[in-house]
Amino acid sequence: MAKTYDFLFKLLLIGDSGVGKTCVLFRFSEDAFNSTFISTIGIDFKIRTIELDGKKIKLQIWDTAGQERFRTITTAYYRGAMGIMLVYDITNDKSFENIKNWIRNIEEHASSDVEKMVLGNKCDMEDRRLVSKERGTQLATEYGIKFMETSAKASINVEEAFFTLARDIKLKMDKKLEQSSPQASTAIHVTQQPKQSRGFFRCTIL
Amino acid sequence: MGELTSVVEEPRWVCPNDRQLSLRAKLNSGWSFHSSGPARKTGRKTDISDNEQEIIRNVLERSDRIRQVEEERIGRLVEKLENMRNNAIGDGKDTCLLCNHKFAALKVVSKRCDICEKCVCQKCGLDVQDSEGDFIWLCMLCSEQRELWKRTGAWFFKAIPKYTYPEPGRQRRISSNRKDTTSSNSSDQLIFPQTNKYNRTWTSYSKSKDNLDSDIREESHSEDEESSSSSDEMTFDRPKPRTRSRARSSTSDEPVSYPSRRSTEISMPGSSILENIDTPPPFRKRTLAMSQEEKQRHPSEVSLNTSSFQATNGQLSPDSSQTRAEPPKVEKSGSFTERVNSTDKGDEVDGRMKPLVKKQDTEEEDIDELVRTFKQSEAAVPKEAGESGLGTVEFDVHYEKQHSQLQVTVICAKGLKAMDSGGTSDPYVKLHLLPGASKSNKLRTHTKYKTLNPQYDETLIYHGITDEDISKKSLRLQIFDEDKLGRNSLIGETCVVLKIFHIKPSQSLKRSLVSRASFDEGRESPEPNLGRLQLSLKYKSQKNQLVVGVIRCAGLAAMDANGYSDPYVKCYLKPDAHKKSKKRTSVKKKTLNPEYNEEFVYDIPHSDLAKKTLELTVWDHDVGKSNDFIGGVALDINSSGSSLMHWYDMLKTPNQVHTHWHTLEKLTNHEQE
């Protein structure tokens, strides 16, 4: 029997091919690193249960292929995601530029309530840096998203990033329910209505 | 292969912004050389190979397992809330909504819940701090409801996601929103208005041997509880007060009495109180048994027997019990309206702790004893039991082996619930043999008008009943209120396992009705009965068209009295605001194996397809009546098994015809007629 948990959060990692999505996830889920590049095929996911404020949160983190040829598959997973990590590579300017496109992609396919976060990965490779931290921060504030520089290899900020995202989702959840639960209970009565009209409808047919 | 190029050709998933357009003009390259550039080039030549498909399939299978665990978890949460709801016995004005405690000026202070605005006593509610730091007072029901929305992810998806009940066969009642008009406090409350696709449930679980054991033990609980003392009879029914005490005294005896439960939440204030509400022990057993998913997914003959065995178990125990108490089984078995006419129990809180622990010890021991008592109780004539408020029914059942007949004499019903505005009902009795309820095995009495105590004295006979039927089937007796306008509404029902007539072929029975007997449709010998559907799918990438071919059906369930159906297939591509995608085949008369060979074409871009659900439903056409739903199949990215494979194959290799057989299932939220 699986471990018990209080919440299941579904997260998604997106970003250009080769920015290190899989490595970030691998670091987070297994606390390990593999420097050989194996392109993700379509989709994959990893599970890790974390604890936040005494609650056990099971994170199902979907790792997507950055390659365009898998795009139809990967976009299908946007909708169910509660949180999305946008990953770029600080040694690759293009991958940073593309974050905007990825954000637009999210706007198009994901739920509007989705929590987002930008990660500038490979921050251990200071000597090959092309995207300054300031640019990252600026982009993130432009979109009102949190931003972090991470390194899967050196294990910098990976843990923090996922915890931050999970916490944000949890906060949003608490907020959201405070507004919506009264509606939820009043909405119940609506379900009783259709029967009447249905009966009437049948009568007219006969 | 190479069909996938069409997908790759159209990078419509994003439109470049102005800046990039100008950049692109300068560079004379695409907006993303890093990802889409090379991929696009290779994409033209390479498809997603078989190998890669296999890998993706494995991932999907893995996620399927996760989803099942999740669905079961949600099912447990939903059930818990349902049980709480059904045990709320007060009116929320002069008495506490939950425990029916009478409010008195000094003794019992009433507090109004900030959400439902019903009054509860201080024990049945709690202060919750919202994000602004303000405290609001919530009754247990509302706070549990809130918790449910949190835990299930409903807050995000705006409806409770798809779920399965933890106990086999206790899945969501099928088409409950259509049929059930009986009681306002039934589980209908859990069906939220936006029942979107996440609400779909059709995984049915059947029983394994272990579950039988647990059921017997479950029985042992109720029995034991009743006998232990009359003061703790409420232990199961009303978890709240006990929980409260537990939270207050902050004892950590929980791991002792229920070793398998988490103890982490004990320290949590607020929601922990909800968390601590005891999952009764039988529940825990079920959880353990669930690890045998494999077995459960392939139900066997054995499982069928055991499940019907259990059906009576749940049915009979309330009647046969000699105390006022209701065994926990009752609330679990779906008798939603049964309530306890409790006396004041507010101060006995601490006394309840001991019997609980004691019960644990004894439960393992006298299983044999209990099987015996159970068997006796099954044959016994129950005492006058109108606790449900729905009424009782008296009937004789006689199994005549020589003529292979099952004669059911419906004598009378008493104290039925009034369904019509005049304070009376127009009741008639309808019989079904389960599993396999359909019109072909339906019998009914005449309707008695304007009465709550109808006298029928009618004998209804099932012919061609074999010993096998007797050992496997159950008789369901439903009392309906005839309604001239519209659908007849169910007053209550009861279920008899026919096995008992093996020993004693003629019996007089008197049963109290429940709003939904535990032998619900979900347990009817699981899906294969419904039939199968052969389907072809093809995506034409040049024309952006999805071609759905309905080829044939086989072994459909018979819905008409002549032993056949007049089937047709409806095809629907959801979600679809204008319902333009609804299409249907012709009706094939009087057959269970219709051949259609009809094709439907949908104009839809490939990229949108991943978000759609293709729903095929098979219906029995009836003249002058509403058509009967036989079964259906839904294909999308979230389905499982052959449906997923088929859908997936279609997405991955366009311009190719993919033909598959699908087993029809009882879709819960299929499109109504």
Side-chain angles (χ1 to χ4, degrees):
Chain A
M1 191 61 202
K3 270 182 277 174
T4 52
Y5 51 90
D6 298 305
F7 307 108
L8 175 73
F9 287 172
K10 291 176 184 171
L11 311 182
L12 186 74
L13 285 162
I14 56 172
D16 281 3
S17 179
V19 296
K21 296 180 292 296
T22 310
C23 287
V24 167
L25 182 53
F26 195 49
R27 169 63 73 192
F28 181 67
S29 62
E30 257 106 290
D31 198 21
F33 182 76
N34 185 350
S35 57
T36 53
F37 175 63
I38 304 160
S39 182
T40 306
I41 291 160
I43 36 153
D44 193 7
F45 72 88
K46 291 258 190 292
I47 298 282
R48 185 175 152 185
T49 309
I50 62 167
E51 207 169 310
L52 264 186
D53 315 325
K55 295 281 177 193
K56 285 216 169 91
I57 301 178
K58 181 168 170 178
L59 300 177
Q60 184 180 25
I61 308 163
W62 286 92
D63 179 21
T64 63
Q67 288 178 28
E68 175 118 9
R69 67 192 180 109
F70 294 112
R71 202 59 33 97
T72 31
I73 305 173
T74 54
T75 43
Y77 286 85
Y78 281 47
R79 197 182 40 173
M82 297 171 175
I84 297 183
M85 289 277 192
L86 295 127
V87 190
Y88 71 91
D89 174 1
I90 65 154
T91 68
N92 179 342
D93 200 39
K94 205 77 210 176
S95 74
F96 177 70
E97 290 295 325
N98 273 337
I99 288 291
K100 288 184 179 171
N101 293 309
W102 287 110
I103 290 177
R104 188 160 316 145
N105 212 356
I106 293 173
E107 280 159 8
E108 197 178 324
H109 296 287
S111 154
S112 55
D113 289 330
V114 72
E115 279 292 330
K116 294 170 286 250
M117 188 166 181
V118 179
L119 299 185
N121 195 28
K122 308 194 187 176
C123 73
D124 55 307
M125 294 156 93
E126 212 43 71
D127 49 329
R128 286 172 55 193
R129 181 190 278 274
L130 289 175
V131 185
S132 69
K133 193 168 180 176
E134 287 67 41
R135 281 175 70 197
T137 322
Q138 202 195 335
L139 176 105
T141 41
E142 199 179 303
Y143 284 98
I145 311 176
K146 282 195 180 157
F147 166 70
M148 262 188 201
E149 285 203 338
T150 60
S151 166
K153 192 175 176 182
S155 186
I156 302 168
N157 272 345
V158 175
E159 199 87 341
E160 290 79 351
F162 282 102
F163 271 82
T164 310
L165 189 62
R167 184 167 290 123
D168 286 351
I169 295 173
K170 192 167 170 291
L171 270 179
K172 184 169 235 168
M173 170 176 84
D174 292 336
K175 271 236 174 81
K176 191 136 192 167
L177 274 172
E178 275 155 30
Q179 306 155 1
S180 69
S181 39
Q183 293 165 2
S185 47
T186 51
I188 287 159
H189 306 289
V190 182
T191 47
Q192 315 238 317
Q193 294 301 322
K195 286 164 201 157
Q196 294 264 321
S197 59
R198 200 183 143 73
F200 183 67
F201 178 65
R202 274 185 60 213
C203 179
T204 50
I205 277 185
L206 286 168
Chain B
M1 290 232 182
E3 290 86 353
L4 202 84
T5 46
S6 62
V7 187
V8 181
E9 273 164 26
E10 319 152 67
R12 69 165 66 76
W13 60 280
V14 71
C15 112
N17 64 22
D18 293 345
R19 187 157 156 259
Q20 278 158 337
L21 282 171
S22 62
L23 199 73
R24 177 195 276 183
K26 271 184 219 162
L27 291 176
N28 209 11
S29 71
W31 60 266
S32 164
F33 89 91
H34 186 79
S35 68
S36 63
R40 216 185 271 182
K41 271 170 211 150
T42 51
R44 283 185 196 283
K45 286 157 212 149
T46 58
D47 188 16
I48 296 176
S49 69
D50 289 348
N51 214 349
E52 288 171 334
Q53 289 193 30
E54 191 53 44
I55 292 170
I56 296 174
R57 262 175 225 200
N58 285 338
V59 171
L60 294 180
E61 270 164 29
R62 216 151 46 88
S63 86
D64 228 37
R65 285 196 290 275
I66 301 275
R67 210 178 53 215
Q68 263 166 22
V69 172
E70 174 71 2
E71 277 167 20
E72 281 157 16
R73 185 183 71 102
I74 296 175
R76 266 170 285 167
L77 292 168
V78 170
E79 190 180 49
K80 193 165 99 182
L81 179 62
E82 263 177 27
N83 287 345
M84 261 177 104
R85 263 221 177 92
N86 296 323
N87 289 325
I89 47 179
D91 62 2
K93 283 176 200 156
D94 306 322
T95 59
C96 168
L97 176 67
L98 288 140
C99 63
N100 205 17
H101 228 118
K102 253 218 155 51
F103 295 131
L106 288 168
K107 268 190 191 163
V108 187
V109 185
S110 82
K111 279 186 118 176
R112 188 181 286 262
C113 168
D114 286 333
I115 290 179
C116 64
E117 302 192 328
K118 294 265 167 61
C119 293
V120 291
C121 69
Q122 266 175 321
K123 284 176 195 156
C124 298
L126 40 98
D127 268 320
V128 179
Q129 196 172 15
D130 64 17
S131 53
E132 276 99 55
D134 300 330
F135 279 96
I136 52 168
W137 176 258
L138 297 182
C139 69
M140 281 297 197
L141 279 181
C142 289
S143 66
E144 180 75 348
Q145 162 105 32
R146 182 179 272 199
E147 196 69 4
L148 179 81
W149 273 63
K150 273 188 193 177
R151 281 166 185 265
T152 55
W155 65 275
F156 188 83
F157 299 112
K158 310 209 170 60
I160 306 246
K162 181 181 167 185
Y163 60 89
T164 34
Y165 271 119
E167 193 192 349
R170 295 210 51 245
Q171 57 169 238
R172 190 108 210 94
R173 302 207 310 274
I174 287 139
S175 65
S176 55
N177 39 358
R178 280 199 299 166
K179 269 190 195 165
D180 191 358
T181 55
T182 40
S183 59
S184 57
N185 58 347
S186 79
S187 66
D188 273 352
Q189 285 168 337
L190 273 172
I191 302 165
F192 292 94
Q194 302 143 303
T195 41
N196 61 3
K197 64 179 309 207
Y198 294 102
N199 247 334
R200 203 178 50 213
T201 307
W202 65 78
T203 333
S204 79
Y205 286 97
S206 179
K207 285 182 164 255
S208 59
K209 259 239 140 109
D210 303 36
N211 281 37
L212 178 60
D213 288 354
S214 77
D215 283 330
I216 293 168
R217 263 175 230 153
E218 199 168 327
E219 182 71 11
S220 92
H221 275 281
S222 48
E223 298 274 337
D224 218 23
E225 183 143 304
E226 283 152 22
S227 57
S228 56
S229 90
S230 59
S231 70
D232 59 51
E233 62 192 50
M234 300 301 291
T235 335
F236 271 114
D237 297 346
R238 311 216 334 267
K240 279 129 270 166
R242 189 181 66 232
T243 308
R244 197 62 195 182
S245 83
R246 210 162 262 199
R248 220 187 301 133
S249 54
S250 71
T251 44
S252 54
D253 62 339
E254 188 162 17
V256 182
S257 48
Y258 300 113
S260 77
R261 277 182 52 83
R262 293 167 280 179
S263 54
T264 45
E265 287 104 348
I266 289 180
S267 58
M268 285 300 301
S271 53
S272 72
I273 293 169
L274 300 168
E275 201 37 57
N276 281 340
I277 291 172
D278 265 322
T279 326
F283 212 83
R284 190 192 64 212
K285 296 261 165 49
R286 255 174 254 138
T287 319
L288 288 170
M290 268 180 347
S291 63
Q292 309 179 318
E293 281 177 0
E294 286 308 307
K295 269 192 205 166
Q296 291 176 329
R297 253 182 283 161
H298 305 291
S300 60
E301 292 285 284
V302 180
S303 64
L304 218 147
N305 281 339
T306 55
S307 58
S308 47
F309 181 80
Q310 198 244 342
T312 20
N313 180 350
Q315 261 314 108
L316 270 163
S317 40
D319 306 30
S320 55
S321 66
Q322 294 304 308
T323 63
R324 288 170 296 159
E326 286 182 2
K329 185 63 203 159
V330 181
E331 46 175 292
K332 309 205 122 273
S333 65
S335 50
F336 295 111
T337 45
E338 297 209 38
R339 290 183 168 189
V340 185
N341 302 320
S342 79
T343 51
D344 248 3
K345 294 258 167 1
D347 301 299
E348 295 165 357
V349 171
D350 291 312
R352 283 188 201 129
M353 309 282 291
K354 276 181 221 152
L356 247 179
V357 181
K358 182 186 138 209
K359 210 162 12 99
Q360 279 287 317
D361 302 330
T362 46
E363 69 162 321
E364 318 278 324
E365 293 165 14
D366 31 18
I367 294 167
D368 291 335
E369 169 78 30
L370 280 153
V371 174
R372 233 175 294 130
T373 37
F374 163 60
K375 286 216 168 117
Q376 284 162 8
S377 75
E378 193 170 43
V381 178
K383 62 174 192 161
E384 187 80 45
E387 304 123 81
S388 63
L390 296 173
T392 58
V393 61
E394 288 174 38
F395 55 101
D396 291 342
V397 183
H398 178 64
Y399 172 51
E400 198 161 317
K401 210 169 173 179
Q402 287 167 323
H403 300 95
S404 32
Q405 279 183 351
L406 185 72
Q407 301 170 354
V408 184
T409 308
V410 182
I411 301 163
C412 64
K414 282 178 185 158
L416 294 178
K417 190 180 158 203
M419 302 299 278
D420 296 342
S421 51
T424 56
S425 295
D426 305 324
Y428 67 88
V429 181
K430 195 164 143 182
L431 302 178
H432 270 127
L433 284 184
L434 303 178
S438 71
K439 270 188 291 186
S440 55
N441 71 26
K442 180 192 87 179
L443 292 173
R444 62 162 283 185
T445 65
H446 292 97
T447 307
K448 301 286 172 194
Y449 293 96
K450 299 215 167 150
T451 173
L452 295 177
N453 303 302
Q455 189 79 27
Y456 295 103
D457 297 317
E458 275 183 58
T459 304
L460 305 165
I461 301 172
Y462 280 104
H463 295 278
I465 298 293
T466 61
D467 275 349
E468 201 191 345
D469 288 331
I470 291 292
S471 56
K472 273 188 192 161
K473 298 213 170 186
S474 294
L475 175 73
R476 183 175 67 191
L477 214 132
Q478 294 175 303
I479 302 195
F480 279 87
D481 171 44
E482 190 179 272
D483 232 332
K484 283 267 154 53
L485 290 173
R487 215 160 249 278
N488 300 334
S489 41
L490 178 69
I491 298 175
E493 64 179 43
T494 183
C495 216
V496 192
V497 174
L498 293 180
K499 246 193 314 199
I500 59 174
F501 302 109
H502 261 319
I503 311 154
K504 197 179 161 201
S506 200
Q507 290 189 32
S508 295
L509 297 164
K510 182 176 177 182
R511 290 293 185 84
S512 74
L513 299 170
V514 294
S515 65
R516 181 66 48 160
S518 56
F519 198 111
D520 62 357
E521 309 220 14
R523 198 177 285 166
E524 286 171 29
S525 75
E527 319 310 342
N529 282 356
L530 299 174
R532 297 188 305 146
L533 168 72
Q534 194 181 23
L535 195 66
S536 72
L537 293 177
K538 178 185 182 182
Y539 189 77
K540 289 186 183 168
S541 51
Q542 281 84 14
K543 293 181 178 171
N544 279 337
Q545 280 178 340
L546 171 68
V547 183
V548 181
V550 178
I551 303 173
R552 60 168 68 82
C553 296
L556 292 179
M559 301 304 275
D560 290 345
N562 59 12
Y564 291 100
S565 293
D566 304 323
Y568 65 93
V569 181
K570 297 209 310 195
C571 185
Y572 185 28
L573 194 64
K574 297 194 294 187
D576 172 23
H578 308 293
K579 311 217 166 174
K580 277 182 185 160
S581 68
K582 282 179 130 179
K583 304 187 177 185
R584 55 178 278 182
T585 65
S586 55
V587 176
K588 302 288 172 195
K589 291 269 181 197
K590 210 179 169 187
T591 173
L592 298 178
N593 302 296
E595 279 214 37
Y596 297 102
N597 289 319
E598 292 182 42
E599 281 191 345
F600 306 116
V601 180
Y602 293 108
D603 289 312
I604 181 169
H606 191 275
S607 55
D608 288 356
L609 213 49
K611 287 183 266 174
K612 296 278 188 181
T613 301
L614 181 69
E615 185 180 271
L616 288 127
T617 46
V618 185
W619 297 76
D620 171 42
H621 178 74
D622 277 324
V623 181
K625 282 182 283 182
S626 56
N627 297 335
D628 294 308
F629 176 63
I630 299 177
V633 57
L635 291 90
D636 63 12
I637 206 89
N638 292 320
S639 50
S640 54
S642 74
S643 310
L644 177 66
M645 289 306 147
H646 198 182
W647 188 248
Y648 187 72
D649 286 345
M650 180 275 295
L651 281 176
K652 281 299 45 81
T653 44
N655 303 320
Q656 235 178 46
V657 179
H658 303 277
T659 307
H660 271 270
W661 278 99
H662 295 278
T663 304
L664 297 180
E665 320 195 42
K666 290 243 179 216
L667 304 187
T668 42
N669 70 336
H670 61 78
E671 200 55 32
Q672 307 285 313
E673 284 177 274

